[in-house]
Amino acid sequence: MQSATLHRRAARTAAVFTALFLVLLALVAAHWGPLGSVDREIVVVLHRSAVEHHGWTRANRVLTDWIWDPWAMRVLLAVAVGWLLWRRERRLALWVAGTAAAGTALQQAVKAAVDRERPRWPDPVDSAHYAAFPSGHALTVTVAFGLLLWLMALHGAAAKWLRLMAAVAAVSVLGVGFTRLYLGVHWPSDVLGGWLLGAALVYGAIAAYGYAQSHTSERESSPDGRVRS
């Protein structure tokens, strides 16, 4: 019963994040003036700092290109998937891999559909490919650390390790968002969109996995192998 409650809560949370993302998506697609003004005010201030402080800019490039790069996050999840396969938890491994793949596919689809231009500068300090919305870095880091936290909780990690991972996740999610803005390759709403869509994917995966597990347990507990109503 407690497990079913958690799954329903995850489903509701996923719905909230999805709704927030869709609202933001509509505002971005409609080129809503107030949102554009706030976006530009923030990135102009940060870009000015990036141009003036070369050492800090280099540090941000290292963080965004190596530590919090989407491929680094995918490697991290690949290690987790390998560990699950080694433990013969094939369904969970497939769920994690599928969620990560869905995140990549979905963010690329939204980028192509919205086709939002990135900030343009006469003196850029970095460059990036593809359209701006949503931020792939922000989405991938959110998905990766969200899934890792979920896996740790599923396997009964001690509270101190969960707190440590939560702290690392928070620093990484917020940090990667800052690097993308500081380097002038994203608007703030791009980063927010990546966070919202990434959170929706994680909670959606948690809810769907919980329902699938409950369905399987119910089937296995039935004497004739059928799901009891």
Side-chain angles (χ1 to χ4, degrees):
M1 184 66 182
Q2 183 181 7
S3 179
T5 301
L6 291 174
H7 302 150
R8 285 194 292 271
R9 187 178 302 164
R12 288 194 296 269
T13 305
V16 170
F17 278 119
T18 300
L20 291 173
F21 173 77
L22 291 175
V23 170
L24 180 61
L25 173 62
L27 296 177
V28 169
H31 304 286
W32 191 49
L35 178 64
S37 297
V38 172
D39 276 344
R40 178 153 291 280
E41 286 176 10
I42 293 173
V43 297
V44 165
V45 171
L46 291 175
H47 180 69
R48 189 178 300 124
S49 175
V51 171
E52 295 174 354
H53 301 91
H54 302 290
W56 184 231
T57 299
R58 281 194 297 271
N60 275 269
R61 291 191 67 172
V62 169
L63 289 170
T64 201
D65 292 340
W66 295 98
I67 307 300
W68 295 319
D69 178 72
W71 281 106
M73 295 298 102
R74 289 171 191 139
V75 168
L76 194 60
L77 285 179
V79 171
V81 168
W83 178 73
L84 291 171
L85 290 173
W86 177 74
R87 289 174 54 92
R88 300 181 185 230
E89 298 180 59
R90 295 183 181 87
R91 172 182 282 186
L92 189 53
L94 180 62
W95 218 271
V96 171
T99 303
T104 299
L106 190 54
Q107 59 108 348
Q108 288 296 336
V110 176
K111 280 179 180 289
V114 177
D115 196 26
R116 188 187 203 186
E117 286 192 4
R118 294 177 184 269
R120 292 185 179 182
W121 310 103
D123 50 356
V125 298
D126 201 358
S127 62
H129 303 291
Y130 308 113
F133 184 88
S135 165
H137 278 70
L139 183 148
T140 307
V141 170
T142 302
V143 169
F145 279 100
L147 291 175
L148 290 175
L149 273 168
W150 175 48
L151 290 178
M152 289 178 66
L154 274 181
H155 290 85
K160 65 177 181 179
W161 297 116
L162 284 173
R163 286 194 295 269
L164 176 61
M165 177 57 81
V168 172
V171 169
S172 298
V173 169
L174 295 174
V176 76
F178 178 81
T179 65
R180 305 312 284 164
L181 299 180
Y182 192 81
L183 296 172
V185 294
H186 273 296
W187 307 103
S189 51
D190 299 335
V191 171
L192 179 58
W195 287 339
L196 292 174
L197 186 54
L201 282 166
V202 171
Y203 279 104
I206 292 171
Y209 183 79
Y211 287 128
Q213 285 293 89
S214 298
H215 185 79
T216 300
S217 299
E218 209 171 290
R219 184 189 299 275
E220 290 175 350
S221 66
S222 176
D224 58 1
R226 297 179 180 178
V227 177
R228 292 177 292 182
S229 58

